[in-house]
Amino acid sequence: MFRVLKRSKKSKARLGIIQTSHGNIRTPSLVPVATKGTLKSIPPKDLKDIGAQVAFVNTFHLTDHPGVDVIKKFGGIHKYAGLDMPLMSDSAGFQVFSLGRGKPTRGAKTHQGDEVPLLKISEEGVLFRSPRNGKEIAFTPELSIKNQQKIGADIMMAFDECIYYGADYEYTKQATERTHRWLLRCVSEKRLLKYSHDRENIIDEQYLYGIIQGGIFKDLRIASAKFVAAQDIDGVAIGGVSVGETKRELRKQVRWVSSYLPEDKPAHLLGVGRAEDIYDLVKYGIDTFDCVEPTRLARNGIVFTARGSKFGRIDLTRTKYRRDKSPIEENCNCYTCQNFSLSFLHHLFKERELLGYYLATYHNLFWFEKIFEDIRGKIETNSY
Ligand SMILES: [Zn+2]
């Protein structure tokens, strides 16, 4: 499934290929986020021109709507959503953080108890409340795998608990060990389903990544990396980052586990998508990165550009662009920069015209793919 084509002599950075039944992913690579089966505002036919190789769909949201049985009826998410490319699905573990740790309760010591009405975590699994209609949604490791099999993405994530930032040592240890026990249940469930009769319409090969947790504690991170790497899985992911920690803490958490990542399996970093972070983190052996940032920022009129600083960004809604004839970036070959001025983009955002969301998202994704092309080129030429 994974071939390393070249290892850097200066760091742990590597060039590789992840092979799936929907095509290959050249790594290091961005994994743009298509939460509900769509990269917001971008039709699938444009993804090739943008350079996107793979996308990340969200199991919690697709279970909530349209429901995984609907997706299975259509032969899986690739066919249902018209996405003919490798896809990854998450496990709903991140929602333990994002739905459970909303701003009002942030900083509290425990997930459990009355203060977090959205969910309950037990050894069995997690009980969510749908943010859409208030219905209860249960996730266990087994249900997460079952649902991900019905979605049919090429790569699944094991069910984990994304631990909130600020959790103390004792809580982090308990939650990390629970995530390990959940991983074993995910591995067995995947094995069981592989040989069951309930697999029609689902893709041939579905891979499973185990998720490393351990919060901000070095010994827990290393223990988690060792445990996860030793299981019968196809790849590893580092989770529990991008939950409010500083850039230094993020780098430390990845560096701690770097030496324990399997040499022959792909490594994914969950939820990290700042270009300046990515340039550093590929040096620790990370192959793929997913992040909502390029698409989410674009919809708010924030676009990436090297104007001013290498990883700069500008706000298209600012009045100073009203008469600006230049594109977002002079050297960008994307459809947006080749055809539209900052003035027109500013106008679209001020008037909330739908084309604005498309053009800004197109540029941000294209810009990010160039960053990864640059990184791959640097590893290729030994300058990394
Ligand atoms: Zn552009």
Side-chain angles (χ1 to χ4, degrees), residues 199-219:
R199 279 182 50 82
E200 51 205 308
N201 293 336
I202 300 299
I203 62 171
D204 299 339
E205 271 304 343
Q206 217 177 359
Y207 301 110
L208 176 67
Y209 283 27
I211 300 183
I212 298 167
Q213 289 291 345
I216 54 166
F217 303 102
K218 187 176 179 181
D219 62 325

Side-chain angles (χ1 to χ4, degrees), residues 157 209-213 228 233 235-239 261 266-270:
M157 296 287 155
Y209 283 27
I211 300 183
I212 298 167
Q213 289 291 345
V228 172
I233 48 171
V236 294
I238 302 171
L261 300 174
H268 181 84
L269 187 60
L270 284 157

